[in-house]
């Protein structure tokens, strides 16, 4: 026990020129459980040691005792700012293992939900960057629309933050008319809000001076550090899983991938804003595509996978077969096919990968989550070395680090 | 010229001969195995060879197969060539008595924490790692929790007197 010193202090040494600052784990400026032991020379960072794992919950171990369905609520708690992406990513992984083909309408519904989640995720991240640079207004203003997104989730699946949205093969029920109304409302009102948000920040002198040239990383280093998502794109690499390995029919949509050049906090901010515009356009396109479905096609909301998709409640109460399937699925008594699959989706902050190994049993033999912010947080020291302490805080929030995802 | 799996396979076999085994193309990507002594050489070759250029490390993790004597632990690398958009899975197996493997941190900075995580959960010793210590679990832990000999708690156990969690008392 005694040889674990969490604060590195050379006691009694008057030669010591630097200050050690214990930033976190529950510092109000860190937005999550992050500990950084920062070595400061005046106000400049000379060393930063990150400690992670404060909210480690052993998801990978838990998943080895859970049937596929029961893993979905675990994925909620990875990046909890955009849980629907995690849920749907997990379902897509299972579908890949099981070889399920989803109908186009399901894909489009999923795209709508995932893009809403992406907007919610970027919205939080960008407005928090604003808060950390001293601009609270934007944060307060856009949260009204995050609330609207959460109401849409609520209409679709009944919950707001940890959504557990969807099922293997699709959704548990069709979107209600109220859900569509709310999506329309969001599409109508949000562009003006986002425009105003951008007007508050993009050319704001104070904001630009705080963020430009701070927390930058070159494209080469970013790739070497395994950056993905908006942080990599801000450094100038146009890697986007939605384009490179399209899933859920993203290939049917027409959208741009915003890229930056310097990889600094300002570029990351702009890339996220740009992505929100693209997400809006994707949702609009998806809504138009949904209108093309006529007759029974317009009521499809799940694929035909009786072994994994819970039967409808009215059938469960009246039909023997459906009742049996219901119990088999709920009790996790279905053997999966043998196999090994890596599947990734574009999460809110990067490539969210699921590596699933099945030995033919009822639960995964091994499940590993590739959590984007766990991978890129290790670059933090290199990014902040030599910068001011106050820039460190902005960098921390602009990297979009989510403690829940990092610690899995 | 698009990068094909046939090309990767032949390039690897030309360079490393019969040590490349179990080449298969799965539903997601191609995968192969190699002896653990060669892991760094192969990663370096895949990185440097201009026609392959697997320069993005997506993931490192491990799997424990307790029944497979002599090759209980598998370390799995997921590599990605971002230009050609080709993914590759590479496995090395090691025995549980001597779980040592060369580190990839010199090649990929991202391997640092991934290997620490793998060490933390499976006890794989990455030789040459600059800072191989636990990352998510507490430093005092003296076992490697994702190995299969550590089962999760039996959900039906009744020996725990723990009213707060709904067990004990009422069950007996």
């Amino acid at each position: 026990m005694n040889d674990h010193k969490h604060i590195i202090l050379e006691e009694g040494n008057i030669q010591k020129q630097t200050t050690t600052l214990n930033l976190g784990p529950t510092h109000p400026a860190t937005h999550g459980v992050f500990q950084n032991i920062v070595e400061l020379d005046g106000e400049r960072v000379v060393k930063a040691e990150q400690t992670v794992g404060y909210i480690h919950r052993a998801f990978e171990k838990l998943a080895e005792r859970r049937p596929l369905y029961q893993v979905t609520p675990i994925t909620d708690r990875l990046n909890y700012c955009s849980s629907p992406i995690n849920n749907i990513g997990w379902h897509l992984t299972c579908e890949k293992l099981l070889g399920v083909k989803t109908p186009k309408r399901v894909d489009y519904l999923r795209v709508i939900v995932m893009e809403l989640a992406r907007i919610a995720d970027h919205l939080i991240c960008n407005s928090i960057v604003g808060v950390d640079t001293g601009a609270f207004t934007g944060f307060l203003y856009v949260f009204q629309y995050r609330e609207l997104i959460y109401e849409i989730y609520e209409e679709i699946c009944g919950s707001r933050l940890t959504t557990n949205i969807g099922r293997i093969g699709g959704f548990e029920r069709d979107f209600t008319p109220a859900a569509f109304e709310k999506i329309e409302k969001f599409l109508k009102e949000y562009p003006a809000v986002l425009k105003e948000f951008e007007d508050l920040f993009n050319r704001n002198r104070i904001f630009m001076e705080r963020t430009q040239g701070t927390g930058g990383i070159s494209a080469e280093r970013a790739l070497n550090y395994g950056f993905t998502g908006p942080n990599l794109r801000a450094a100038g690499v146009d890697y986007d899983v939605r384009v490179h390995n399209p899933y859920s029919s993203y290939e049917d949509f027409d959208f741009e991938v915003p890229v930056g050049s310097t990889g600094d906090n300002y570029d990351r901010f702009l890339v996220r804003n740009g992505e929100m515009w693209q997400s809006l356009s994707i949702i609009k396109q998806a809504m138009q595509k949904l209108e093309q479905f006529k007759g029974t096609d317009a009521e499809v909301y799940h694929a035909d996978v009786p072994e994994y998709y819970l039967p409808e409640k009215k059938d469960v109460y009246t039909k023997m077969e459906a009742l049996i399937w219901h119990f088999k699925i709920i009790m996790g008594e279905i053997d999966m096919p043998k196999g090994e699959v890596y599947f990734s989706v574009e999460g809110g902050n990067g490539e969210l990968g699921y590596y699933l190994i099945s030995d033919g049993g009822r639960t995964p033999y091994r499940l590993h989550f590739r959590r984007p912010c766990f991978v890129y947080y290790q670059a933090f020291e290199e990014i902040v070395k030599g910068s001011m302490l106050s820039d460190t805080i902005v960098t921390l929030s602009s990297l979009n680090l989510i403690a829940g995802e990092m610690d899995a | 010229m698009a990068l094909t799996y046939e090309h990767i396979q032949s390039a690897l076999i030309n360079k490393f001969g019969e040590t490349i085994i179990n080449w298969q193309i799965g539903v997601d990507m191609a995968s192969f195995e190699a002896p653990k002594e060669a892991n760094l050489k192969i990663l370096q070759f895949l990185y440097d060879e201009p026609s392959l250029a697997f320069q993005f490390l997506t993931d490192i993790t491990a799997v424990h197969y307790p029944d497979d004597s002599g090759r209980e632990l598998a370390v799995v690398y997921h590599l990605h060539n971002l230009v050609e958009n080709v993914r590759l899975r590479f496995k090395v197996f090691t025995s549980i008595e001597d779980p040592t493997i060369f580190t990839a941190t010199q090649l990929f900075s991202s391997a640092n924490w991934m290997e620490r995580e793998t060490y933390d959960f499976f006890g794989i010793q990455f030789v040459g790692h600059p800072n191989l210590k636990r990352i998510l679990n507490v430093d005092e832990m003296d076992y490697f929790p994702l190995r299969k000999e550590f089962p999760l708690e039996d959900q039906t156990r009744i020996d725990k007197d723990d009213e707060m969690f709904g067990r004990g008392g009422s069950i007996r």
Side-chain angles (χ1 to χ4, degrees), chain B residues 30-133:
Chain B
S31 76
F32 67 96
E33 283 172 42
K36 68 170 182 173
E37 298 77 26
N39 76 327
L40 199 53
K41 282 186 196 137
I42 289 170
L43 288 173
Q44 183 86 49
F45 173 71
L46 288 169
Y47 189 97
D48 288 339
E49 175 65 33
S51 67
L52 302 175
F54 283 93
Q55 295 180 350
F56 188 84
L57 178 67
T58 305
D59 198 22
I60 297 178
T61 189
V63 192
H64 185 202
Y65 298 100
D67 301 330
D68 202 353
S69 159
R71 19 190 283 143
E72 286 95 348
L73 292 167
V75 177
V76 187
Y77 298 87
H78 282 93
L79 299 161
H80 198 165
N81 178 336
L82 289 178
V83 180
E84 299 282 350
N85 191 25
V86 176
R87 289 175 190 269
L88 191 61
R89 183 186 297 132
F90 165 39
K91 290 184 185 177
V92 287
F93 284 83
T94 171
S95 72
I96 205 157
E97 289 83 29
D98 177 31
T100 51
I101 259 179
F102 293 116
T103 174
T105 42
Q106 294 301 313
L107 210 51
F108 302 103
S109 305
S110 53
N112 191 326
W113 281 21
M114 294 178 190
E115 288 180 353
R116 277 179 70 185
E117 193 194 16
T118 311
Y119 162 73
D120 192 356
F121 288 107
F122 290 92
I124 289 169
Q125 303 285 339
F126 289 95
V127 178
H129 191 285
N131 185 23
L132 194 65
K133 57 178 190 183

Side-chain angles (χ1 to χ4, degrees), chain A residues 61 224 244 342 365-366 370, chain B residues 28 58 62 64 85 148 150:
Chain A
K61 189 79 182 171
N224 204 260
H244 275 66
Y342 176 86
Y365 185 77
R366 169 96 174 96
R370 188 230 188 245
Chain B
D28 48 352
T58 305
H64 185 202
N85 191 25
K148 294 286 177 190
F150 300 104

Side-chain angles (χ1 to χ4, degrees), chain A residues 221-232:
Chain A
R221 292 305 294 155
L223 281 171
N224 204 260
Y225 264 121
F227 274 51
T228 40
N231 296 337
L232 180 64

Side-chain angles (χ1 to χ4, degrees), chain A residues 78-139:
Chain A
L78 290 169
N79 182 350
Y80 41 75
C81 293
S82 50
S83 328
I85 299 182
N86 308 345
N87 299 154
I88 294 174
W90 166 244
H91 292 142
L92 286 163
T93 311
C94 299
E95 285 163 17
K96 182 116 185 168
L97 177 75
L98 305 170
V100 176
K101 181 99 180 60
T102 48
K104 280 280 176 192
R105 187 165 187 270
V106 172
D107 288 353
Y108 298 151
L109 292 176
R110 280 179 166 173
V111 164
I112 292 176
V113 179
M114 284 194 280
E115 292 308 316
L116 283 171
R118 192 179 319 283
I119 291 176
D121 190 278
H122 288 355
L123 203 55
I124 296 170
C125 181
N126 270 358
S127 52
I128 288 290
V129 173
V131 172
D132 286 345
T133 52
F136 195 76
T137 322
F139 173 74

